[in-house]
Amino acid sequence: MTVSDRVTRLRTQSLNISPSLSTERAELMTAFYRQDAGMVSIPVRRALAFQYLMAHKTICILDDELIVGEKGPAPKATPTYPELCCHSLEDLDILNSRDKIPFAVSPEARKTYQEDIIPFWNGKSMRELIFREMSDEWKAAYDAGIFTEFMEQRAPGHTVLGDKIYRRGFLDFKREIEMHLKALDYLDDPNAYDRRQELEAMSICVDAMIAFSHRYAEKARLLARQETRPERKAELMQIADICLKAPSHAPETFHEALQYYWFVHLGVTTELNTWDAFDPGRLDQHLLPFYRKGIEDGSLTRDKAEELLQCFWIKFNNQPAPPKVGITAAESATYTDFAQINVGGLTPEGADGVNEVSFLLLDVIESMRLLQPSSSIQVSKKNPDRFIKRATEIIRTGFGQPSVFNADAIVQELIRQGKSIEDARSGGSSGCVEVGAFGKENYNLTGYFNMPKVFEITLNNGIDPRTGKKIGVETGDPKTFACMDELMAAYVQQMRHFINIKIQGNNVIERLYANWMPAPFLSLLIDDCMARGRDYHNGGARYNSTYIQGVGLGSLTDMATAVQYHVFDRRTLSMKALLQALSTDFSGYENLRLMLTHKTPRYGNDDDYADDMMKALFEAYFQAIDGRPNTKNGVYHINLLPTTCHVYFGSVTGATPDGRHAGLPLSEGISPVQGADRQGPTAVLKSAAKMDHIRTGGTLLNQKFTPQLLKNDADLDKLVQLIRSYFRLDGHHIQFNVADAETLKAAQQHPEQHRDLIVRVAGYSDYFCDLTPALQDEIIARTAHTSF
Amino acid sequence: MHTDIAICKHCGLCTDACPVEASEIAGKTMTVAQVITEIEKDILFFDESSGGVTFSGGEPLYQPDFLGELLETCQVQGIHTALDTSGFSRWEVINRVRKHVDLFLYDLKLMDDEKHRRFTGVSNRVILDNLRELSSRNHHIRIRFPVIPGITDDQDNVTAIATFVASLPSAPDVDILPYHGSGSAKYEGIGSSYSLPDLRPPSDADMARIAACFQEKKLNVTSGG
């Protein structure tokens, strides 16, 4: 593992620059849309807008750089997308001043928005269009925090690139488009004209990208002429040559492949603010041929390849996620734009996909230690243990990367959804934990769904107790229910009601994007948009999935289990008394609250009483969603992940029967409620594996450890075994948070929130909160020595 | 709330009433079948790690019938069994269960019998005899030597233990275990005072010195275990 001075400088620069809001894209977009477009179709107009952006945006080549190109005019100068979601002056002021995740907004930028951007886009953005088109009941549910809406300020993206750019250049794409245009059948294909519009739009985007890369070549050549240091001069000349060739023609070298991808990344993220940025996916598979060829012919060394990858990594870190507005800002407070580079897994033929580039990428992840890009290992039973073990060495350094995925489960999940076996094996995970057939699928996440809130509304017969408004259906007064089955039936009815509202909204929003915001550049890259002459947003991809992400399964399970156990099974608590206690947030009912928390079987302990409830609730969610049609010739699936939405959803959910106070966060992912699991990590894995992961498109499980737990080589072997065990049970994903001293101090202050924290004591492990204060102090002291 | 352990009848009413589980009854009555059900929950992890179940204590040999049945059931099911024991037991008891034990984790603390009586309350003779018997019957044994500063870590004791282990027919491997104070909370919990409140764990250098004594006798030694 080596880090050159160059990389150290670039990395430090990337870390030190504060994110700011750039108005460049907004200004260009406004200038373009002010022009009279004449009689052009919407796909062509969007392509012309893209061409205008790529022709005028600032070209940025920084000293030391080997991979070039920025989304904004400079690193972390973050563009905005007023045609999708136009920031108000109030939004800009909040962005500029908030404590967490701020974006600097200069007085000039504010003025530009005030005088130019806002007046033009007011009333014209997609966000406004979407809210205009939603029904009153949709708005009521949205305002109540039943679900969120991903598309209200970012465009559908949720896709990852496959391998085609490594085999073909944009000029090849151009020829392909011409071939498809010639083959259009205006006699028997009634959609031939629409296809022509799409294909012509794609063709304009090819030209736009090539021209953009040539602008970079020109700039590099100019800088080279001015450069006095001979080494840098040579580098700039090489960059100029690569930029002339890279996206136009298929890459031939490692360096060309990386620069080509980066241009494509800039194109996708400039065209629209697609969700989950964009990412190269299975990078070790894609780069292997270039790496081997370079090593063989002597044009590349491992160190050189590593340096190029490090420069590539820094490029991702220079691009914060687009600044958000409204609820989305609260629900997803992070600069991360969820590009997730996959390492390992299977080859398309189904063989062990771990190769020398896999280990090289792990070295880069460790040495760069950056927020972006995110990274994951894809673990197949065919992969060697030493690969997983190398990843665990990085995991124990405690920055949450790489996360760990079950490649064999992902293949099964994708095949269940109808993908071909080759496409499934070429897929992987992206964003947080979502599965996709890379290069061939639009797998659109549409919003989080607050399952515990729906249970709360069920307990209140359709009324949201927070506002007193009736937003659900009347499913009966729970005080009249004779058994748990009645309550479950009421919950399922209530949930289906809200899922239906969400899907009705999605069906409109999908069409709005298909009609008004086609993405011809992205459509170039994802098969089979070109062959079908259909846009990415309009069913052009080979596979089209729509997701609604369930949040709070652990909380929901414990809530329902508590009611079943105390009210219906043991009959030690009346529904009336429970509802009374909930309505007062347990004020005056502390003993009842503690009993609900501590004397109830809970999910996460390998206890079938609670875990069977979890399975039933999982099944209800699955049945309400999976297989229902979307507007893109595809169907709905479920996944279970929260990002940080469990905090927002908790804030709108009152006291719950698992003893949780109103407003506190819900459980995250498929993890147990914070502190509910008391039987160790193996019991959590057993509980979590009782749901059928294979019928989801992703689940998220978090485990927390301290560095001591992973101190020795033998400890890492055990972690590898733990991963293998969970994956034998078809678990989808697991990530390990290695807690630092700060977390331990917080656990000492608030043990109830850190019940699940496991620490290495002395040759054995224990729950941190169960140790004596003196021993806790000792471990905190030790942790301070070993954390980074 | 405070429990006076001296007059406590262990009826458990307080633990039922306490909503935060601040007091608990340590241990519970279980049948062999119930224990096996718990063990079976972890079979997957045993398979993956070549692990198994360890019976420890207290002293598991004090419940010989229950232990024997559990060990035998595990063995029938192919679950690896380890017995963590002080060795202080009649040979007949060990002899009854030993064929179902795949691995003995056998404690040796002090070789000097007088000191052994002083710190543990009993002679070490039967412990050493039982160990020799097991070793001569080719059982898989790991010696567990706790390094307690000021009590077991003097050179004489370490040398004597190393010499004894090396003299056993199977010359078993040794784990040397650094003292830790994490048991102190249990003493508090049962209303008893902890007799070594100020004792610190041994230093890495002490551990290395002790490991070297065992290595000199050509024994395999692991620190920590």
Side-chain angles (χ1 to χ4, degrees):
Chain A
M1 204 168 71
T2 52
V3 181
S4 64
D5 292 346
R6 170 213 310 278
V7 170
T8 304
R9 285 193 296 270
L10 287 170
R11 180 175 178 276
T12 307
Q13 172 178 273
S14 182
L15 291 172
N16 288 346
I17 296 174
S18 303
S20 62
L21 184 142
S22 159
T23 58
E24 182 180 80
R25 186 186 180 284
E27 289 178 71
L28 289 171
M29 215 53 181
T30 307
F32 174 79
Y33 273 91
R34 277 218 173 91
Q35 300 168 359
D36 179 6
M39 302 278 275
V40 299
S41 67
I42 287 176
V44 168
R45 192 162 189 213
R46 284 301 297 171
L48 291 170
F50 178 74
Q51 189 170 41
Y52 188 82
L53 289 172
M54 301 315 264
H56 294 92
K57 75 202 278 313
T58 301
I59 300 297
C60 172
I61 299 177
L62 302 170
D63 198 21
D64 286 321
E65 283 193 322
L66 297 176
I67 306 293
V68 296
E70 289 290 333
K71 189 162 79 172
K76 295 197 182 171
T78 313
T80 57
Y81 305 76
E83 74 272 35
L84 297 163
C85 152
C86 185
H87 290 80
S88 66
L89 291 177
E90 191 192 357
D91 289 333
L92 297 181
D93 294 341
I94 291 171
L95 288 174
N96 191 39
S97 62
R98 67 184 179 195
D99 288 344
K100 297 270 167 69
I101 322 294
F103 285 87
V105 182
S106 68
E108 301 77 52
R110 194 178 188 281
K111 189 156 171 274
T112 303
Y113 254 78
Q114 186 169 16
E115 291 174 3
D116 190 25
I117 313 295
I118 294 172
F120 182 80
W121 291 102
N122 187 27
K124 297 195 192 86
S125 74
M126 283 297 283
R127 180 177 162 82
E128 289 160 299
L129 178 59
I130 286 169
F131 282 117
R132 265 205 307 278
E133 296 286 357
M134 292 299 103
S135 67
D136 288 342
E137 58 180 4
W138 187 96
K139 284 176 193 153
Y142 175 85
D143 289 341
I146 302 285
F147 50 70
T148 64
E149 177 49 60
F150 266 34
M151 302 318 144
E152 45 102 357
Q153 50 189 301
R154 289 186 72 174
H158 295 107
T159 193
V160 168
L161 195 57
D163 64 352
K164 80 176 193 179
I165 68 161
Y166 307 99
R167 291 180 282 106
R168 279 180 292 171
F170 270 58
L171 290 172
D172 298 315
F173 297 162
K174 184 102 179 165
R175 278 189 284 275
E176 248 178 273
I177 292 167
E178 277 158 19
M179 192 189 80
H180 290 303
L181 278 169
K182 279 198 191 115
L184 284 175
D185 176 356
Y186 294 91
L187 182 63
D188 289 327
D189 176 5
N191 297 316
Y193 180 75
D194 292 341
R195 291 187 215 285
R196 190 171 97 197
Q197 297 307 313
E198 283 295 334
L199 289 166
E200 282 176 355
M202 290 183 210
S203 182
I204 292 166
C205 290
V206 167
D207 296 341
M209 175 47 73
I210 291 174
F212 179 66
S213 65
H214 287 181
R215 291 179 66 212
Y216 265 92
E218 206 177 304
K219 174 87 174 181
R221 190 149 294 141
L222 180 75
L223 289 171
R225 272 201 296 277
Q226 295 162 352
E227 181 58 58
T228 53
R229 298 164 296 179
E231 273 181 31
R232 181 62 184 160
K233 198 182 192 70
E235 279 173 10
L236 285 163
M237 289 306 291
Q238 193 192 14
I239 289 169
D241 289 345
I242 288 172
C243 291
L244 272 184
K245 182 180 164 194
S248 305
H249 302 277
E252 288 179 282
T253 69
F254 196 81
H255 194 161
E256 284 169 17
L258 287 173
Q259 183 63 57
Y260 185 164
Y261 172 79
W262 191 247
F263 277 133
V264 163
H265 185 96
L266 295 178
V268 171
T269 55
T270 298
E271 180 178 47
L272 289 170
N273 59 1
T274 50
W275 266 108
D276 288 353
F278 193 59
D279 83 67
R282 306 283 301 277
L283 196 57
D284 50 352
Q285 297 291 305
H286 302 322
L287 292 179
L288 183 65
F290 303 104
Y291 182 78
R292 283 193 178 152
K293 181 166 165 265
I295 296 286
E296 267 164 34
D297 66 22
S299 61
L300 187 71
T301 63
R302 191 183 195 277
D303 283 353
K304 187 70 201 168
E306 187 171 9
E307 185 179 46
L308 285 166
L309 283 166
Q310 287 166 332
C311 292
F312 185 69
W313 242 245
I314 291 164
K315 278 288 156 194
F316 281 90
N317 199 58
N318 285 351
Q319 325 297 327
K324 293 171 191 150
V325 302
I327 282 178
T328 315
E331 88 196 23
S332 181
T334 175
Y335 289 127
T336 300
D337 211 7
F338 297 100
Q340 185 201 101
I341 290 175
N342 288 197
V343 189
L346 296 163
T347 68
E349 297 76 34
D352 173 14
V354 170
N355 58 51
E356 54 267 42
V357 180
S358 314
F359 286 95
L360 182 58
L361 291 178
L362 290 175
D363 285 354
V364 171
I365 292 164
E366 186 175 34
S367 63
M368 287 299 93
R369 208 181 163 77
L370 290 168
L371 184 69
Q372 301 198 77
S374 187
S375 57
S376 65
I377 57 165
Q378 306 286 313
V379 174
S380 164
K381 61 189 179 219
K382 294 183 183 175
N383 296 148
D385 281 347
R386 68 191 173 90
F387 165 67
I388 313 172
K389 193 166 174 187
R390 174 70 188 103
T392 63
E393 288 172 5
I394 304 167
I395 287 168
R396 79 166 154 197
T397 67
F399 78 117
Q401 288 191 37
S403 54
V404 185
F405 287 85
N406 183 349
D408 304 315
I410 287 176
V411 169
Q412 288 186 70
E413 289 160 24
L414 290 170
I415 287 174
R416 188 198 74 88
Q417 295 177 355
K419 276 90 175 171
S420 76
I421 193 158
E422 294 79 11
D423 288 349
R425 287 170 180 155
S426 307
S429 59
S430 67
C432 290
V433 296
E434 304 89 281
V435 299
F438 291 173
K440 297 168 180 73
E441 183 175 13
N442 172 347
Y443 43 111
N444 190 202
L445 274 62
T446 61
Y448 299 110
F449 189 82
N450 190 344
M451 298 188 283
K453 181 79 193 174
V454 174
F455 195 83
E456 182 187 32
I457 287 170
T458 309
L459 287 178
N460 289 278
N461 198 10
I463 291 169
D464 178 2
R466 192 168 67 103
T467 57
K469 283 187 196 158
K470 192 176 145 200
I471 60 167
V473 284
E474 286 183 20
T475 50
D477 177 355
K479 293 195 283 295
T480 66
F481 292 167
C483 61
M484 192 63 197
D485 288 350
E486 283 187 52
L487 179 59
M488 284 295 275
Y491 167 74
V492 169
Q493 190 192 345
Q494 198 69 254
M495 179 189 57
R496 285 182 169 266
H497 168 72
F498 286 115
I499 292 289
N500 287 347
I501 292 173
K502 176 68 176 155
I503 289 180
Q504 285 164 18
N506 286 351
N507 284 344
V508 172
I509 294 168
E510 282 177 358
R511 295 319 301 158
L512 295 181
Y513 273 95
N515 289 338
W516 299 105
M517 277 298 146
F521 182 74
L522 180 58
S523 301
L524 277 172
L525 303 163
I526 303 299
D527 293 336
D528 303 312
C529 296
M530 213 189 276
R532 291 178 181 173
R534 281 178 85 97
D535 191 79
Y536 178 81
H537 292 327
N538 193 26
R542 185 173 302 170
Y543 309 108
N544 292 278
S545 309
T546 304
Y547 283 92
I548 302 171
Q549 308 98 263
V551 173
L553 184 64
S555 290
L556 177 68
T557 299
D558 286 0
M559 289 158 65
T561 304
V563 175
Q564 170 169 287
Y565 186 72
H566 294 290
V567 178
F568 293 115
D569 277 7
R570 306 203 340 164
R571 299 191 175 272
T572 50
L573 175 66
S574 72
M575 184 66 87
K576 191 179 167 198
L578 175 65
L579 294 178
Q580 173 63 23
L582 295 179
S583 70
T584 63
D585 194 15
F586 296 110
S587 167
Y589 295 90
E590 182 62 7
N591 276 353
L592 172 62
R593 191 187 76 78
L594 291 166
M595 185 189 79
L596 291 168
T597 304
H598 294 288
K599 304 265 179 172
T600 308
R602 303 190 73 178
Y603 167 66
N605 296 292
D606 196 10
D607 175 347
D608 281 339
Y609 190 95
D611 295 348
D612 285 348
M613 179 63 78
M614 178 278 289
K615 282 162 66 180
L617 293 163
F618 169 89
E619 200 61 34
Y621 190 65
F622 177 85
Q623 295 298 345
I625 296 173
D626 188 78
R628 297 177 67 170
N630 62 24
T631 70
K632 294 176 287 192
N633 237 348
V635 294
Y636 277 79
H637 301 298
I638 66 161
N639 50 19
L640 297 160
L641 63 113
T643 314
T644 54
C645 199
H646 60 294
V647 178
Y648 163 64
F649 278 171
S651 74
V652 297
T653 306
T656 44
D658 58 337
R660 175 189 145 282
H661 275 301
L664 294 180
L666 303 173
S667 63
E668 49 86 28
I670 59 164
S671 307
V673 169
Q674 294 79 349
D677 56 310
R678 303 300 307 277
Q679 301 295 319
T682 56
V684 174
L685 301 189
K686 290 283 300 292
S687 283
K690 287 177 194 173
M691 76 183 66
D692 189 355
H693 293 246
I694 302 302
R695 286 187 293 153
T696 74
T699 61
L700 185 148
L701 181 67
N702 246 316
Q703 292 217 312
K704 296 190 196 80
F705 292 126
T706 59
Q708 281 76 31
L709 196 70
L710 304 173
K711 196 172 160 194
N712 302 320
D713 202 51
D715 299 329
L716 295 185
D717 288 330
K718 285 179 199 145
L719 191 61
V720 172
Q721 289 155 7
L722 197 72
I723 292 165
R724 292 279 201 198
S725 300
Y726 185 51
F727 288 177
R728 271 178 68 185
L729 296 173
D730 287 342
H732 172 85
H733 152 275
I734 186 165
Q735 67 190 32
F736 301 96
N737 289 326
V738 181
D740 56 10
E742 290 310 309
T743 308
L744 296 181
K745 284 177 196 157
Q748 227 179 0
Q749 299 301 315
H750 304 286
E752 69 283 0
Q753 291 165 21
H754 298 273
R755 280 266 158 216
D756 55 344
L757 188 61
I758 295 163
V759 293
R760 188 81 177 163
V761 182
Y764 80 108
S765 307
D766 206 349
Y767 286 100
F768 182 75
C769 298
D770 290 351
L771 303 172
T772 60
L775 202 54
Q776 288 182 341
D777 285 340
E778 186 192 324
I779 288 169
I780 289 170
R782 267 195 273 153
T783 306
H785 289 298
T786 49
S787 63
F788 300 89
Chain B
M1 194 176 76
H2 176 73
T3 306
D4 188 343
I5 294 290
I7 57 170
C8 171
K9 293 194 175 66
H10 312 295
C11 67
L13 282 175
C14 65
T15 66
D16 285 346
C18 178
V20 290
E21 298 189 322
S23 74
E24 58 169 346
I25 300 263
K28 57 183 165 183
T29 306
M30 292 174 83
T31 63
V32 168
Q34 283 170 326
V35 175
I36 294 293
T37 302
E38 280 303 308
I39 292 171
E40 281 173 342
K41 286 183 176 178
D42 282 336
I43 282 182
L44 172 83
F45 303 102
F46 301 158
D47 286 355
E48 201 57 59
S49 63
S50 306
V53 59
T54 300
F55 297 93
S56 68
E59 175 51 65
L61 289 172
Y62 286 1
Q63 303 177 58
D65 296 336
F66 186 62
L67 177 69
E69 234 182 294
L70 283 174
L71 285 168
E72 191 174 350
T73 313
C74 286
Q75 198 175 48
V76 167
Q77 300 203 12
I79 298 168
H80 184 275
T81 59
L83 183 64
D84 187 350
T85 178
S86 69
F88 185 71
S89 167
R90 284 182 294 123
W91 170 251
E92 299 78 68
V93 171
I94 296 179
N95 198 31
R96 198 144 37 105
V97 302
R98 65 180 174 83
K99 59 180 174 294
H100 305 304
V101 177
D102 297 314
L103 168 65
F104 283 90
L105 301 171
Y106 204 104
D107 286 6
L108 281 186
K109 301 179 184 80
L110 290 158
M111 283 307 284
D112 182 287
D113 196 35
E114 193 273 321
K115 277 177 95 175
H116 200 275
R117 284 169 194 273
R118 180 142 63 92
F119 285 103
T120 70
V122 299
S123 163
N124 65 13
R125 245 197 64 197
V126 65
I127 295 170
L128 300 179
D129 288 349
N130 285 340
L131 179 54
R132 195 172 283 284
E133 285 295 326
L134 283 173
S135 179
S136 69
R137 286 169 164 81
N138 274 322
H139 282 286
H140 185 199
I141 302 167
R142 292 189 76 87
I143 301 299
R144 313 275 282 177
F145 174 54
V147 179
I148 308 171
I151 299 175
T152 68
D153 67 339
D154 59 280
Q155 197 61 44
D156 287 352
N157 186 49
V158 174
T159 308
I161 286 192
T163 308
F164 178 78
V165 174
S167 78
L168 293 171
S170 60
D173 295 349
V174 180
D175 297 318
I176 57 174
L177 311 170
Y179 167 82
H180 59 76
S182 60
S184 58
K186 287 185 188 169
Y187 283 81
E188 272 173 44
I190 60 168
S192 189
S193 69
Y194 191 62
S195 54
L196 301 169
D198 301 322
L199 194 60
R200 305 306 305 161
S203 68
D204 289 350
D206 281 339
M207 291 298 288
R209 168 182 63 83
I210 290 163
C213 290
F214 286 94
Q215 281 155 350
E216 261 175 42
K217 305 284 181 191
K218 309 259 181 291
L219 294 167
N220 285 322
V221 60
T222 312
S223 190

